[in-house]
Amino acid sequence: MKKGMILLFIFTFFLLGCGLNNNTKDVMPEEMPSDFDFSVKFGVGKKNEIDTYEDKVTKDLVDDGTATINLPLTIEEKAKIYEKMKNINIIRLKELTPRTECMTKPYSEDEWKITINGEKITPYISGAYCEKANDENKLIDLRNYIRNIVQNKVEYQKLPEATGGYE
């Protein structure tokens, strides 16, 4: 009887330990880690990019190709972006592809690469679908927030305007 109770105790302790590890893996650190960086490619053909790994921004000029400039974000800007990512718990976003057969063209895509405490996450969304997935708007709102920060910088405003369009 004692042996059975001891084994049950050990087994229960083991299961609790496994559950705790899984939960903490899905929670972002409270403070922005020193290795926090990200890139997001977006738009038709993913020709726009904001990349804090390389401190570069690329703008899609449509008919005139692309323009890339060196444009680092400040620590404060990155901290605000990290806070937004933490608020949506970006490492737990799961529903990024809608359940539909309906497709559109041309379409926009968002391809992310994010480093947090040595872990890389790579969310991806496609605007090819007629409907949006549950978590998709969270990433779109985040991308638009970041894009707004970049577009308000003087260096970005000096880039040429896009000409033409996508059909």
Side-chain angles (χ1 to χ4, degrees), residues 28 80-90:
M28 293 175 64
K80 288 178 182 176
I81 293 166
Y82 181 81
E83 191 64 30
K84 293 263 186 203
M85 287 183 181
K86 192 170 67 168
N87 287 342
I88 65 170
N89 201 4
I90 198 163

Side-chain angles (χ1 to χ4, degrees), residues 47-49 56-62 64-70 156 158-161:
K47 294 179 184 174
N48 295 292
E49 182 175 17
K56 294 188 179 191
V57 170
T58 300
K59 179 180 180 182
D60 181 9
L61 303 175
V62 188
D64 297 327
T66 60
T68 301
I69 58 172
N70 187 38
Y156 185 88
K158 292 179 183 176
L159 289 172
E161 291 295 318

Side-chain angles (χ1 to χ4, degrees), residues 40-132:
V40 57
K41 296 177 182 180
F42 58 95
V44 175
K46 300 181 287 190
K47 294 179 184 174
N48 295 292
E49 182 175 17
I50 300 167
D51 182 348
T52 65
Y53 295 97
E54 301 288 328
D55 291 330
K56 294 188 179 191
V57 170
T58 300
K59 179 180 180 182
D60 181 9
L61 303 175
V62 188
D63 287 345
D64 297 327
T66 60
T68 301
I69 58 172
N70 187 38
L71 189 64
L73 298 179
T74 66
I75 295 293
E76 293 80 17
E77 290 166 334
K78 283 179 71 173
K80 288 178 182 176
I81 293 166
Y82 181 81
E83 191 64 30
K84 293 263 186 203
M85 287 183 181
K86 192 170 67 168
N87 287 342
I88 65 170
N89 201 4
I90 198 163
I91 60 178
R92 289 209 54 186
L93 295 182
K94 302 292 183 221
E95 293 186 48
L96 299 175
T97 305
R99 298 170 197 251
T100 181
E101 299 291 321
C102 180
M103 306 291 274
T104 64
K105 280 189 177 180
Y107 59 89
S108 178
E109 301 171 274
D110 285 29
E111 180 180 291
W112 292 79
K113 181 172 82 173
I114 305 165
T115 302
I116 299 171
N117 274 346
E119 298 287 325
K120 291 205 186 314
I121 58 169
T122 55
Y124 171 83
I125 55 175
S126 173
Y129 303 102
C130 297
E131 301 167 24
K132 291 196 183 314

